[in-house]
Amino acid sequence: MNPNEYLEGIKKQCKYSKSLGEKTIDQLPEAQLFWQYNEDSNSIAIIVKHLWGNMKSRWTDFLTSDGEKEWRQRDAEFESDIHTKEELLNKWNEGWECLFEALESVNESNFNQPVYIRNIEHSITEAINRQLVHYSYHIGQIVFLGKMIAGKQWQSLSIPKGKSSVYNEKRFAKPKHKGHYTDNLMDEK
């Protein structure tokens, strides 16, 4: 496996996932970011807070300390104490910045180094893939909540219903080429 190719692909996937969350948040009035289906459900704000806590724990000193930091307060991540969109976006951006900085620290010289999460050894690829799946799961929740809240005002973040053939025509009109699936994805809808 070429470490540089893998890392570039992961960075693009993370940026794409981040953009899906941001485009959802942008479509909603501030008050709706705190809406919960019931008291046992998470709001978008709570999910963002959990992602922030996880990202800060997993990616701070990624190569040198366990990904579950002693200072992490995971249970508190599910308390509803974010009160403004600005506060929500600050946590969102802080978490993603921590992730991207950590990814920048990985290179060919340390790519085969083991990392640990809760004392379980992971390869760099296992640790990154584990988090990518986790973040995609929660971003899917954010998008689903956003779509429910926005209703008919929702603007699709992927191929809109009934537009698959138009999308495929555009994709197949181009010759086969090397690229990442997220390259110009939003422009091609």
Side-chain angles (χ1 to χ4, degrees):
M1 172 184 304
N2 179 327
N4 293 328
E5 262 185 49
Y6 169 77
L7 291 166
E8 284 310 306
I10 287 296
K11 289 173 195 173
K12 287 180 179 186
Q13 289 175 333
C14 287
K15 287 176 184 174
Y16 178 65
S17 291
K18 181 178 185 274
S19 77
L20 293 176
E22 290 169 348
K23 289 175 182 179
T24 298
I25 291 166
D26 287 347
Q27 289 192 50
L28 301 174
E30 182 173 40
Q32 296 301 318
L33 300 171
F34 308 98
W35 176 82
Q36 292 175 254
Y37 176 73
N38 61 37
E39 64 184 39
D40 296 322
S41 301
N42 293 324
S43 66
I44 290 173
I46 290 172
I47 296 169
V48 167
K49 186 178 173 194
H50 169 58
L51 285 169
W52 164 79
N54 180 280
M55 289 175 176
K56 292 295 287 182
S57 183
R58 293 293 185 266
W59 301 104
T60 298
D61 302 325
F62 174 63
L63 297 169
T64 58
S65 68
D66 194 282
E68 186 65 18
K69 304 296 185 282
E70 290 181 19
W71 45 257
R72 183 179 183 198
Q73 300 293 317
R74 185 182 180 280
D75 292 337
E77 292 166 15
F78 296 96
E79 295 171 7
S80 183
D81 59 1
I82 295 177
H83 302 292
T84 66
K85 183 176 184 176
E86 180 181 7
E87 187 180 354
L88 177 147
L89 290 174
N90 285 340
K91 288 204 179 301
W92 175 262
N93 289 322
E94 186 180 339
W96 286 104
E97 285 170 21
C98 189
L99 177 150
F100 288 118
E101 284 177 21
L103 290 178
E104 289 299 323
S105 73
V106 179
N107 56 51
E108 287 187 36
S109 70
N110 59 24
F111 190 75
N112 293 315
Q113 167 185 329
V115 295
Y116 292 85
I117 301 172
R118 294 186 176 111
N119 272 349
I120 299 172
E121 183 178 310
H122 292 63
S123 67
I124 297 272
T125 56
E126 288 172 328
I128 291 171
N129 291 345
R130 173 181 172 162
Q131 295 316 119
L132 184 62
V133 168
H134 183 219
Y135 302 152
S136 297
Y137 167 78
H138 286 304
I139 290 174
Q141 292 174 327
I142 289 170
V143 172
F144 181 73
L145 283 169
K147 191 172 181 178
M148 282 187 354
I149 292 166
K152 292 196 182 294
Q153 281 69 48
W154 178 254
Q155 295 186 11
S156 178
L157 304 180
S158 63
I159 304 167
K161 284 184 181 181
K163 302 290 184 185
S164 295
S165 59
V166 171
Y167 178 81
N168 284 339
E169 279 180 35
K170 288 180 185 177
R171 281 288 187 165
F172 285 105
K174 296 178 182 178
K176 290 183 179 180
H177 62 283
K178 180 144 177 70
H180 194 270
Y181 77 96
T182 63
D183 293 343
N184 304 313
L185 187 63
M186 299 310 284
D187 298 333
E188 294 183 358
K189 282 196 291 180

